[in-house]
Amino acid sequence: MNTSVIKSVRAIARHFMLKSCYIHIPKTGGTYLAQLETGGEPVIWPMKYLGHCVIVDSTKLSQGYGRMVGYLDKPQIEQTDLDSFFVVSTVRNPYSWLVSYAGHAGGWSEKYRDSRHYDYEIAQKGFDYLVRSIADRDSEIWPSRKFIHFAIFSLTGKLVVDWLNRTESLDGDLENLANRRMLTFRRQKKQRVGIKKDYRSFYNDALVDLVGQTWGRELELFGYNFDGEVANAGILGRTITSKQREGVTYNWASDICIVNGSVIGR
């Protein structure tokens, strides 16, 4: 058996030996996946739920990362602790994500309203004002003009995920993941459902341009535009290869995303 075949067999074996874990980026359907509101069986299992967390490497500098408002009480997980896991997360179109975040922070749903939220008062001034405020601030408060989906990278810049769902097609992506990983998938009742109004109705042309300029890296990386996901347009698809994990980095301090040696979105 030649060397390439042996390597392929070993890679496949390692793929199925790894346990699965989930990094939950707020407002991307992680509550639904884990059924956190009901305590019922997760949509996909077995899957270790890591929650809202940051991935650190205590042996290296964290590239200027400071504890942000919004993540002050979140766990820090050592990058090496993920070595035995197949790491899963979910991303969302920044245009849609910002509307969902505004509803969360501003308490648009009486059931989930929390006037103590750090962005509550800003959100009361309107969606346009909130988005402009977020786009104008740096790293002291999350979200900011820096990467919304920063948690899929370690704080030393390493891309740590093996699979990325899209919120817009979450059930289909989870079912696909389950089939590939020999996990169990079962659709459940949606949780923490926000407003059903089309997110695009919240935007004017100037705000569309501002979001595109500010979070253009994520739009390019995940293949989104104002109208949604563009088929096969993203740099990263669902399956993240080892080559992509080596070639895609995000430096928190400099706020630079590099893909195969080239800076994107700037």
Side-chain angles (χ1 to χ4, degrees):
M1 187 178 293
N2 64 44
T3 302
S4 62
V5 173
I6 293 174
K7 286 183 178 179
S8 297
V9 170
R10 286 176 176 172
I12 293 171
R14 181 177 182 275
H15 172 85
F16 287 107
M17 288 174 62
L18 294 176
K19 297 173 288 184
S20 298
C21 68
Y22 186 78
I23 296 173
H24 180 184
I25 297 168
K27 313 311 301 173
T28 61
T31 299
Y32 164 69
L33 181 147
Q35 291 291 292
L36 296 180
E37 284 194 325
T38 63
E41 290 186 338
V43 174
I44 188 169
W45 75 94
M47 177 82 70
K48 182 178 178 63
Y49 178 77
L50 301 181
H52 303 158
C53 62
V54 292
I55 310 303
V56 300
D57 184 344
S58 60
T59 68
K60 298 180 181 179
L61 295 176
S62 62
Q63 298 184 345
Y65 171 76
R67 297 289 277 168
M68 300 171 289
V69 173
Y71 268 82
L72 291 172
D73 60 343
K74 309 308 182 197
Q76 293 190 355
I77 297 173
E78 284 288 337
Q79 185 175 306
T80 53
D81 290 343
L82 298 181
D83 288 346
S84 61
F85 285 93
F86 182 89
V87 183
V88 178
S89 192
T90 304
V91 297
R92 184 173 186 170
N93 187 341
Y95 288 104
S96 170
W97 189 94
L98 287 162
V99 173
S100 182
Y101 178 75
H104 168 72
W108 293 356
S109 170
E110 181 67 32
K111 181 179 179 180
Y112 303 115
R113 181 170 298 146
D114 181 3
S115 60
R116 298 168 298 174
H117 191 286
Y118 53 89
D119 271 333
Y120 180 81
E121 293 298 332
I122 295 176
Q124 302 313 303
K125 297 180 180 180
F127 179 69
D128 188 286
Y129 186 87
L130 175 64
V131 172
R132 292 182 183 281
S133 297
I134 293 172
D136 193 48
R137 64 194 185 196
D138 205 334
S139 58
E140 296 303 314
I141 301 175
W142 180 90
S144 70
R145 64 175 176 265
K146 292 194 173 187
F147 234 72
I148 291 172
H149 300 84
F150 80 95
I152 66 173
F153 296 89
S154 74
L155 297 183
T156 55
K158 179 179 174 62
L159 182 63
V160 299
V161 291
D162 298 288
W163 179 274
L164 280 176
N165 305 300
R166 286 352 187 227
T167 304
E168 299 79 8
S169 55
L170 186 55
D171 276 328
D173 289 348
L174 291 174
E175 186 171 17
N176 190 3
L177 172 64
N179 291 336
R180 289 171 179 245
R181 296 281 304 157
M182 295 189 293
L183 304 171
T184 299
F185 168 80
R186 184 177 67 181
R187 293 174 188 266
Q188 297 276 42
K189 185 178 180 180
K190 301 299 182 184
Q191 298 189 2
R192 291 193 72 90
V193 177
I195 62 168
K196 296 182 179 180
K197 189 176 179 181
D198 188 332
Y199 69 86
R200 291 171 293 188
S201 66
F202 288 84
Y203 288 87
N204 55 38
D205 290 345
L207 207 57
V208 170
D209 290 343
L210 176 63
V211 172
Q213 292 165 8
T214 307
W215 294 286
R217 296 156 300 176
E218 283 154 289
L219 293 169
E220 186 175 352
L221 200 63
F222 307 132
Y224 288 116
N225 63 21
F226 179 56
D227 292 314
E229 186 180 5
V230 181
N232 303 316
I235 294 169
L236 298 178
R238 270 65 174 174
T239 300
I240 310 301
T241 66
S242 57
K243 184 177 180 180
Q244 287 174 320
R245 284 194 298 275
E246 293 295 324
V248 180
T249 62
Y250 173 67
N251 183 308
W252 176 265
S254 63
D255 192 28
I256 290 176
C257 185
I258 296 175
V259 176
N260 298 327
S262 299
V263 177
I264 67 167
R266 283 290 186 271

